[in-house]
């Protein structure tokens, strides 16, 4: 199963140094039955993109909690055994697709790393500052957060992680 783990650049650096994503339990996002039902699509690529987008939103939450982190969303895509994943149903739409991993995962099994481009930093910084208000129902703040979501995350191979951390 493909899962998407939200991080920040400092979190990616820690994972790179440790050689694994952890400690457990790890929060991730995947194509779950609830996400399938909500998204109403049978196209696995569209569903995986929806899970990736949810992980990017969770990365934004991590950025809001860490003002020192560079303002770039980070998501690591991993392929893990289905039995390693526990569905964590959310009480609201934001929790759709959320899963848990009960054990650390070696970074070598990562399929890709998705990171914002440099030109997204200003929008991501504004979104990180507005995300709490947006989650509270502020429409203007939601528009600011949506501005970050307009930026597509770039794809990088695991071997490119050292270059991302410079």
């Amino acid at each position: 199963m493909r899962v998407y783990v939200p991080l920040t650049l400092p979190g990616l650096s820690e994972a790179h140094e440790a050689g694994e994503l952890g400690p457990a339990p790890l929060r991730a996002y995947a194509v779950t039955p609830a996400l399938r039902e909500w998204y109403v699509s049978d196209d696995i690529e569209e569903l995986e993109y929806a899970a990736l987008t949810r992980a990017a939103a969770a990365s934004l939450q991590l950025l809001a909690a860490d003002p020192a982190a560079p303002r770039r969303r980070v998501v690591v895509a991993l392929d893990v055994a289905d039995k390693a994943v526990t569905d964590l149903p959310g009480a609201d739409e934001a929790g759709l697709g959320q899963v848990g991993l009960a054990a650390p995962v070696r970074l070598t099994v990562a399929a890709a790393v998705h990171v914002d481009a440099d030109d997204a930093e200003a929008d991501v910084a504004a979104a990180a500052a507005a995300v709490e208000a947006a989650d509270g129902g502020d429409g203007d703040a939601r528009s600011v957060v949506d501005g970050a979501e307009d930026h597509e995350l770039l794809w990088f191979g695991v071997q490119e992680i050292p270059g991302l951390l410079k």
Side-chain angles (χ1 to χ4, degrees):
M1 168 180 276
R2 172 78 41 105
V3 298
Y4 300 91
V5 178
L7 292 174
T8 61
L9 282 172
L12 181 62
S13 178
E14 289 174 15
H16 180 66
E17 288 174 22
E20 66 183 18
L21 292 161
L26 282 169
R27 177 178 60 152
Y29 293 81
V31 178
T32 62
L35 183 66
R36 279 183 190 274
E37 184 178 322
W38 173 78
Y39 198 74
V40 191
S41 175
D42 290 329
D43 185 330
I44 191 64
E45 288 183 15
E46 286 182 18
L47 290 164
E48 286 184 351
Y49 183 77
L52 170 64
T53 300
R54 295 203 160 306
S59 176
L60 190 61
Q61 294 279 350
L62 295 173
L63 289 172
D66 183 1
R71 301 337 243 173
R72 294 170 74 190
R73 297 168 297 167
V74 178
V75 176
V76 177
L78 303 166
D79 292 317
V80 298
D82 289 356
K83 65 182 179 184
V85 177
T86 304
D87 194 4
L88 301 175
D92 58 11
E93 187 178 305
L96 291 172
Q98 189 167 300
V99 297
L101 300 170
V105 180
R106 299 290 308 159
L107 199 53
T108 56
V109 302
V113 178
H114 301 273
V115 181
D116 276 309
D118 291 341
D119 67 354
E121 284 189 27
D123 288 338
V124 171
V131 73
E132 186 176 336
D135 289 347
D138 183 320
D140 291 337
R142 172 56 42 204
S143 293
V144 173
V145 170
D146 289 346
E149 292 173 0
D150 288 342
H151 293 276
E152 295 288 330
L153 297 177
L154 302 178
W155 183 98
F156 296 92
V158 175
Q159 71 277 10
E160 296 178 274
I161 291 174
L164 292 169
L165 300 176
K166 291 183 179 179

